[in-house]
């Protein structure tokens, strides 16, 4: 197992469109394993492959408090969104900052799992926000692109 280096805003790879995955092989299995390790170590709720420098349409997420909802989504497609939520968002690739972002409250996404089997799920709230945030990473979009207001410095706010 290996934690990988997380690329930060300014790194051009974060702005590229990632490519669909065509097969599950040892390389992709190792990538997903490393992505989970990197995400948990960084205490994030999600992580997209471009954030570790790999331009593949893969993201992992776990929005649970007890690491019980680990999911890997490959070649995800947003099928439907519903409602709206306005809330705070951060990104491991934009360290030390956060901003308010308005996104759909509910999202239905179709993807392949680690066995390359198709599945569809509908999630709400933070999980919906996470799916949309990670899916954006696969298209080179970062949350500051769609923030409602300015980026706020985490340190500056603690005073
Ligand atoms: O850890 C993260 N927290 C978070 C909070 C609100 C909305 C989205 C996220 S995702 C982020 C991890 C990350 O950068 N994933 O790409
Ligand atoms: Ni992010």
């Amino acid at each position: 197992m290996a934690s990988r280096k997380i690329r930060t805003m300014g790194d051009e790879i974060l702005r590229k469109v990632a490519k669909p995955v065509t097969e599950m092989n040892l390389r992709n299995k190792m990538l997903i394993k490393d992505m989970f390790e990197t995400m948990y170590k960084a205490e994030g709720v999600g992580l997209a492959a471009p954030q570790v420098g790999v331009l593949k349409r893969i993201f992992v997420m776990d929005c649970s408090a007890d690491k019980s909802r680990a999911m890997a989504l490959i070649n995800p497609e947003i099928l439907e969104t519903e409602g709206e939520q306005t809330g705070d968002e951060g990104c491991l690739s934009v360290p030390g900052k956060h901003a308010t972002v308005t996104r759909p409250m509910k999202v239905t996404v179709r993807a392949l799992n680690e066995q390359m089997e198709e599945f569809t799920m509908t999630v709400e709230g933070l999980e919906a926000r996470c799916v949309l945030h990670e899916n954006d990473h696969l298209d080179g979009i970062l949350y500051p692109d769609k923030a409602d207001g300015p980026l706020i410095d985490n340190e500056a706010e603690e005073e």
Side-chain angles (χ1 to χ4, degrees):
M1 290 244 281
S3 174
R4 301 197 189 189
K5 187 184 144 207
I6 298 175
R7 310 295 186 100
T8 53
M9 201 157 71
D11 190 321
E12 64 185 38
I13 205 157
L14 293 172
R15 292 307 191 172
K16 297 196 164 143
V17 176
K19 293 188 178 66
V21 174
T22 55
E23 59 165 353
M24 186 45 60
N25 51 30
L26 193 57
R27 182 185 288 267
N28 287 335
K29 281 182 187 153
M30 287 305 301
L31 169 64
I32 291 168
K33 199 174 171 190
D34 288 355
M35 285 171 64
F36 276 117
E37 188 178 333
T38 306
M39 176 183 78
Y40 286 128
K41 191 178 170 194
E43 296 184 352
V45 296
L47 187 76
Q51 292 182 276
V52 293
V54 179
L55 284 173
K56 291 181 181 176
R57 301 189 77 81
I58 302 176
F59 68 76
V60 297
M61 59 182 276
D62 186 349
C63 293
S64 71
D66 58 355
K67 302 186 177 185
S68 63
R69 280 182 63 77
M71 287 182 284
L73 284 80
I74 300 167
N75 300 345
E77 283 179 81
I78 305 298
L79 299 182
E80 203 180 332
T81 62
E82 199 184 311
E84 195 177 274
Q85 57 175 320
T86 297
D88 218 30
E89 201 157 318
C91 180
L92 295 171
S93 295
V94 189
K97 310 245 183 224
H98 65 97
T100 303
V101 184
T102 299
R103 293 191 187 268
M105 175 56 83
K106 198 167 162 181
V107 59
T108 300
V109 58
R110 179 171 63 208
L112 301 174
N113 64 19
E114 287 171 82
Q115 287 75 46
M116 296 298 266
E117 299 159 340
E118 194 176 286
F119 70 101
T120 301
M121 67 173 186
T122 300
V123 292
E124 294 180 61
L126 177 60
E127 286 191 316
R129 181 177 287 284
C130 188
V131 164
L132 295 162
H133 174 115
E134 303 313 334
N135 194 64
D136 276 351
H137 273 300
L138 306 182
D139 291 324
I141 299 164
L142 298 172
Y143 84 84
D145 302 345
K146 36 178 76 171
D148 297 340
L151 289 194
I152 299 158
D153 200 299
N154 294 345
E155 301 285 315
E157 220 187 21
E158 280 165 24
E159 295 175 28

